Amino acid sequence: MAFPTVSYSRDTPAGYPGMIASTEPHHIISMVVSGTSGNIPFGIGVLFDTVEDTVKLPTAIGKFAGVAVVDRTLPFANGEVYKPYDQISVMKTGSIWVTALVAVAQGDPVYMTPTGGFTNVSNSAANQLIENAEWASVTAGTNQLARLRLGVTK
């Protein structure tokens, strides 16, 4: 009987989008994905919708609700997204892993793009500043994993 070849990486990834990044205090609220929203991937910024206790995937600038936190109890068929009418965990304060769309440095301001991605680029016509947020890690290029800290008092 042949044994399958198994290989393991020496390095464990630091995290993945939507993963809580540290044990520092955090505040997570429970909301419902709006029926008019698209699928919300883990680690993406979400906006409050017009119906109470609902959030949606951004399509333009709006009222920032927080960042979608990973939920490993969702059905496998969902993939790594929240679907409309799913209950969603949204981080309001704390440290969470997200994908930085450009190179970022510690302490840089955080802007959310109209699609829910995160950057340190102002682009006042499209990106909105996330108040009391900062980058907590450094990246060297585009679309790299980075820690985002929400609820920072300066």
Side-chain angles (χ1 to χ4, degrees), residues 98 100 104-110 118-120 133-137 146-148:
V98 298
V104 299
Q106 276 184 234
D108 279 356
V110 179
F118 296 103
T119 181
N120 61 358
E134 68 183 11
W135 290 103
S137 57
R147 279 187 305 129
L148 175 64

Side-chain angles (χ1 to χ4, degrees), residues 30-117:
S30 182
M31 304 291 279
V32 174
V33 177
S34 171
T36 60
S37 175
N39 292 343
I40 300 175
F42 302 148
I44 290 292
V46 294
L47 301 176
F48 286 110
D49 200 10
T50 55
V51 177
E52 187 176 352
D53 292 331
T54 62
V55 293
K56 63 182 179 178
L57 185 67
T59 55
I61 292 174
K63 195 180 288 186
F64 180 71
V67 180
V69 179
V70 166
D71 183 349
R72 294 293 172 211
T73 65
L74 288 174
F76 179 76
N78 270 31
E80 296 194 351
V81 299
Y82 290 101
K83 296 194 176 288
Y85 303 108
D86 279 350
Q87 185 170 336
I88 181 174
S89 298
V90 179
M91 181 174 281
K92 301 284 293 171
T93 62
S95 187
I96 188 165
W97 290 103
V98 298
T99 301
L101 300 177
V102 296
V104 299
Q106 276 184 234
D108 279 356
V110 179
Y111 294 87
M112 185 173 72
T113 68
T115 58

Side-chain angles (χ1 to χ4, degrees), residues 120-145:
N120 61 358
V121 178
S122 169
N123 186 8
S124 59
N127 299 344
Q128 74 181 75
L129 176 68
I130 306 302
E131 296 290 332
N132 301 321
E134 68 183 11
W135 290 103
S137 57
V138 177
T139 64
T142 60
N143 298 314
Q144 290 186 346
L145 194 62

